[in-house]
Amino acid sequence: MFHQEIYQGVGQLLKLRDDVGRYRLMDLGCGNARYLAPCLQQFPPALYEGVDLSEAALAEARGYLAGLPDSVVTLTQGDLLEAVEATDKTWDVIFTGFAVHHLMSDDKARFFQAAGRCLAEKGWLILVDVVREENQSREDYLEGYLKCMRDNWIEVPSDQLEEACAHVHDHDYPEYFSTLQEMAAAAGLKASRVVSRYGQHYTLLFARSSLPQI
């Protein structure tokens, strides 16, 4: 899923901030934070809160984030949408990786509204996720994505591969980029950009004000 390339780009984005060492980052659906942790160690935040439903993943995350001071890191077990709607903090960066596409459209709109509410004036929403081509049906997207998985995930045992394919088929609801832009604009995020794309895997940047020069 191009994690190495994607997260190298995420690190380069964080490098562009003028508040490295002082920014506050909320990581929604953080999992074990394996891929984001090196970015944070290189361009450290003043505060990191990771949210995930999996207690086991959060336990692993603490290990991957060990390079950051304990006073910086908070790990919270919970639902990402509920967490961003409930937060009483202002965040400079909200990050989410391969999680928002599990939400239905109404909940995605709620997610953007909540993100827009709690982002700082120069805040960013960095969204790493799968995105459908414009006018592509979910069915056509799934047909192509599942074929790609079965053709390319050759080192994954067949039973695990089919389990992963079933998960994608049942739980993936990617949107068009234009739809995500509309949701973001309605939430007060005035600027958006495709930072990178690897197949259907996009890194998207949304901002309350201007975007950085990349």
Side-chain angles (χ1 to χ4, degrees):
M1 292 174 64
F2 304 98
H3 285 94
Q4 183 174 350
E5 296 87 348
I6 287 169
Y7 282 86
Q8 182 178 358
V10 171
Q12 291 305 305
L13 272 182
L14 295 178
K15 181 181 180 181
L16 295 175
R17 292 197 62 86
D18 60 9
D19 55 359
V20 171
R22 296 180 286 109
Y23 71 94
R24 294 147 62 103
L25 185 147
M26 189 180 205
D27 183 3
L28 297 166
C30 66
N32 63 14
R34 171 184 176 185
Y35 294 101
L36 187 60
C39 303
L40 301 178
Q41 290 162 12
Q42 191 172 6
F43 308 107
L47 179 66
Y48 168 90
E49 180 173 354
V51 179
D52 201 90
L53 283 171
S54 170
E55 185 176 356
L58 292 174
E60 289 186 20
R62 192 163 296 282
Y64 283 112
L65 295 164
L68 298 176
D70 288 343
S71 59
V72 168
V73 176
T74 300
L75 296 173
T76 303
Q77 186 176 9
D79 175 81
L80 71 88
L81 181 56
E82 293 176 359
V84 71
E85 288 185 324
T87 186
D88 59 359
K89 296 182 176 68
T90 299
W91 299 95
D92 300 296
V93 179
I94 294 175
F95 175 85
T96 181
F98 295 113
V100 170
H101 69 276
H102 292 139
L103 301 177
M104 303 303 288
S105 292
D106 288 350
D107 285 341
K108 291 189 188 81
R110 284 174 55 195
F111 167 81
F112 276 100
Q113 287 292 327
R117 175 188 60 79
C118 65
L119 275 174
E121 184 59 34
K122 295 183 179 180
W124 295 353
L125 169 61
I126 303 174
L127 179 65
V128 173
D129 218 334
V130 286
V131 177
R132 277 190 283 158
E133 302 286 356
E134 297 294 319
N135 301 314
Q136 182 184 40
S137 69
R138 177 174 180 265
E139 291 73 20
D140 286 346
Y141 165 85
L142 288 174
E143 181 180 355
Y145 198 90
L146 294 176
K147 182 179 187 302
C148 183
M149 290 175 67
R150 292 185 173 111
D151 288 348
N152 294 294
W153 291 24
I154 56 177
E155 296 184 8
V156 178
S158 59
D159 58 334
Q160 294 179 26
L161 174 58
E162 288 309 311
E163 183 178 349
C165 287
H167 173 83
V168 168
H169 183 274
D170 293 345
H171 298 288
D172 282 21
Y173 293 89
E175 303 286 351
Y176 309 135
F177 177 46
S178 62
T179 301
L180 298 174
Q181 286 180 302
E182 290 170 3
M183 292 177 178
L189 303 179
K190 300 174 183 177
S192 61
R193 174 183 294 161
V194 176
V195 176
S196 69
R197 176 183 177 181
Y198 300 92
Q200 300 306 118
H201 310 94
Y202 285 64
T203 300
L204 305 175
L205 177 61
F206 301 92
R208 289 184 59 88
S209 53
S210 61
L211 292 169
Q213 294 295 321
I214 299 176

